[in-house]
Amino acid sequence: MDLLLHLRHELGAFRACLDGDLSVPIEHCGDWTLRELAEHLGGSNLWAAKAVTERRGDYVPPAAPKDRAGLARWFDAASDTLLEALDTDPSTEAWTFHPPETVGFWQRRRCVEALLHRWDAERAIGTARPFDPELAGEGVAEVFEVMAPRQIVRGRAQLPDKALRLDAADIGRSWTYGQGVPVAKVSGTAEGLLLMLWGRMSPDDDGLVWDGDRGAGEHLLSGPLTA
């Protein structure tokens, strides 16, 4: 999978949303507006670029301009900076907030971040489009390889004593979270699973199918997994 190609596409799609109403609220991001979401995504792109080029995690990005034209130029420049920083061997060493400490970590992380926030922005202005299924699958994998273990390391969650299986039928991939034989299974598209894991879709959504001990499965998902 060409993650940089996907990243460029997702950032471009997000950028197109900035031609709309910047004051529109973003449903799953607290009290943020689209303008604040743009500042978050652009700023975190600059932060990730520094994690690669200077191997540091303490960079504080500059505030985004308030006016529409300035914000758009600032976001474009931040996107270009990130793409340039990530255009290198994925095995190159970088600062990361969880193993592996490689550029490849950031290639996937920024892709998933841009994917989710592109969806947030498009949903806010009424134009949400589907995810690339394989990229969505990478996002699900990241939750269980990086995000959930990070919550455990930070003391925000405990290692589950039961297990849940997640099946993405559209791409033929599955993941097991927890220990032992899964007590429940949830099936759906990779997009649906990713949206559920990141709190954009309810486990009750009609696009998800549950088998086994659903209560135990939903408890495992309460984690927290990604906060």
Side-chain angles (χ1 to χ4, degrees):
M1 177 182 294
D2 190 336
L3 289 173
L4 290 184
L5 183 63
H6 280 293
L7 178 57
R8 187 179 298 278
H9 171 78
E10 295 298 338
L11 289 174
F14 182 94
R15 166 63 178 81
C17 295
L18 302 185
D19 294 331
D21 182 1
L22 297 179
S23 68
V24 68
I26 303 299
E27 181 179 357
H28 300 96
C29 296
D31 59 359
W32 281 357
T33 63
L34 178 54
R35 200 208 77 82
E36 289 163 326
L37 181 61
E39 181 165 21
H40 163 75
L41 182 57
S44 57
N45 284 342
L46 292 172
W47 175 70
K50 290 292 186 183
V52 170
T53 59
E54 299 183 7
R55 298 182 187 175
R56 54 184 287 209
D58 59 354
Y59 175 71
V60 179
K66 299 294 184 183
D67 65 290
R68 181 189 302 275
L71 175 65
R73 288 193 298 270
W74 177 86
F75 186 85
D76 286 341
S79 296
D80 289 344
T81 296
L82 176 67
L83 288 163
E84 182 179 357
L86 295 182
D87 190 12
T88 189
D89 186 338
S91 66
T92 302
E93 184 177 350
W95 179 90
T96 65
F97 54 77
H98 193 85
E101 296 177 343
T102 65
V103 170
F105 172 98
W106 287 115
Q107 290 176 343
R108 181 171 71 170
R109 173 85 287 275
R110 298 318 299 166
C111 236
V112 176
E113 180 93 348
L115 174 69
L116 287 167
H117 287 324
R118 182 269 293 172
W119 183 88
D120 288 331
E122 289 185 342
R123 180 178 172 84
I125 63 176
T127 62
R129 294 170 297 148
F131 291 176
D132 176 89
E134 294 295 338
L135 181 57
E138 282 301 304
V140 174
E142 184 195 47
V143 169
F144 299 118
E145 294 169 4
V146 174
M147 297 300 178
R150 180 173 180 250
Q151 298 308 310
I152 294 171
V153 169
R154 301 183 75 181
R156 295 179 176 177
Q158 294 184 344
L159 182 67
D161 59 1
K162 296 180 180 179
L164 169 69
R165 177 179 167 128
L166 300 92
D167 285 353
D170 56 333
I171 59 172
R173 294 182 67 179
S174 64
W175 303 266
T176 297
Y177 179 58
Q179 304 179 80
V181 177
V183 298
K185 180 178 77 170
V186 58
S187 304
T189 63
E191 174 177 342
L193 294 175
L194 182 62
L195 289 172
M196 177 188 67
L197 292 171
W198 278 96
R200 269 70 170 176
M201 177 185 287
S202 168
D204 294 328
D205 190 274
D206 291 341
L208 301 172
V209 178
W210 286 85
D211 294 299
D213 188 344
R214 178 171 174 170
E218 289 196 29
H219 179 70
L220 287 168
L221 292 178
S222 68
L225 299 177
T226 61

